[in-house]
Amino acid sequence: MKKISRRSFLAAAGLSVAALALTACGGSSASTASSVASSAASSEAASTSAAAGELTTVEAGKLTMATNATFPPYEMTTDAGEFEGIDIEAAQAIADKLGLELQIDDMDFDAALLSVQQGKADIVMAGVTVTDERKAVMDFSDSYATGIQSVIVPEGSDIASPDDLAGKKIGTQRGTTGYIYCTDDFGEDAVVAYDSGLTAVQALNNGQVDAVVIDNAPAKEYVAANPGLKVLETSYAEEDYAIGMAKSSPLEDAINSALEELKADGTLQAIVDKYITAE
Ligand code: ARG
């Protein structure tokens, strides 16, 4: 079941990214009012799945989503401070189906994972990889996307594949699978944990680390925004993204049904296509 093939060295899957204005703001902003920039899907009102009254949520009538909006194209903020991205629009579409108002709480990634475990948010949607360790402390919806851990290096680096990371300083985002894999494979001393992928990439630009290990889609966005960096062809690992919830969350069935409908009617794919252009 678990699809994480560590160090699977797959050729980087061909997803290129639409030219997006990247405005990932600094990591640890406090909760921000939820305003979704452009939700293609939100006009489709609640159709099936569940009526609002039947669902028990952290805040009545609301679907509270914890995220870390420094992770384009899944979640980021516009210059105007509005949230946008694949997870934001997919969550909006799910909330619509459930007849709930989407409330977005932006925080550090590790805090977002904890938030559902502590009953402060109904869901964490943040390009969250399903892992056995996380499954021990939270529940996951069905998967809605595939993630790939990639390696970013400066042009001209002698690091040509994930194996070459041995003996190097590696930047990662705190609490992510990138951090976990790298510490497992290369030791804690080799890995530096940053607040966000963006700050890790800034450290790479400043020569404080030799490489950054991060999910492929944001890696491409960061590299597009930072001349002189590149993403290695060879990937580090393949993963599944899913929506995280508290253990035995009462929302699990409703969320999975909504997700299934959004997959079946093409809404999810349309959201992905809006942010990621196939090569
Ligand atoms: N997929 C990775 C993980 O689950 C990284 C996710 C980071 N997401 C974010 N919004 N910063 O650990």
Side-chain angles (χ1 to χ4, degrees), residues 98-184:
L98 303 186
L100 296 168
E101 184 194 330
L102 181 65
Q103 162 76 40
I104 300 170
D105 288 345
D106 189 18
M107 62 193 81
D108 286 344
F109 180 69
D110 47 1
L113 291 180
L114 276 177
S115 185
V116 290
Q117 297 169 46
Q118 296 171 340
K120 294 179 189 155
D122 296 304
I123 58 171
V124 52
M125 231 177 145
V128 179
T129 302
V130 181
T131 70
D132 285 344
E133 291 72 18
R134 289 175 183 166
K135 272 164 130 177
V137 291
M138 58 202 282
D139 281 353
F140 284 99
S141 71
D142 298 332
S143 176
Y144 65 91
T146 299
I148 290 172
Q149 291 299 311
S150 287
V151 184
I152 307 177
V153 295
E155 304 269 6
S157 165
D158 61 353
I159 301 170
S161 87
D163 272 342
D164 301 332
L165 289 171
K168 303 288 188 183
K169 270 274 182 246
I170 308 162
T172 60
Q173 181 179 17
R174 194 173 60 245
T176 61
T177 49
Y179 176 83
I180 296 163
Y181 302 160
C182 288
T183 50
D184 281 358

Side-chain angles (χ1 to χ4, degrees), residues 71-83:
F71 197 70
Y74 286 93
E75 44 268 332
M76 59 276 192
T77 47
T78 64
D79 284 334
E82 292 181 317
F83 296 111

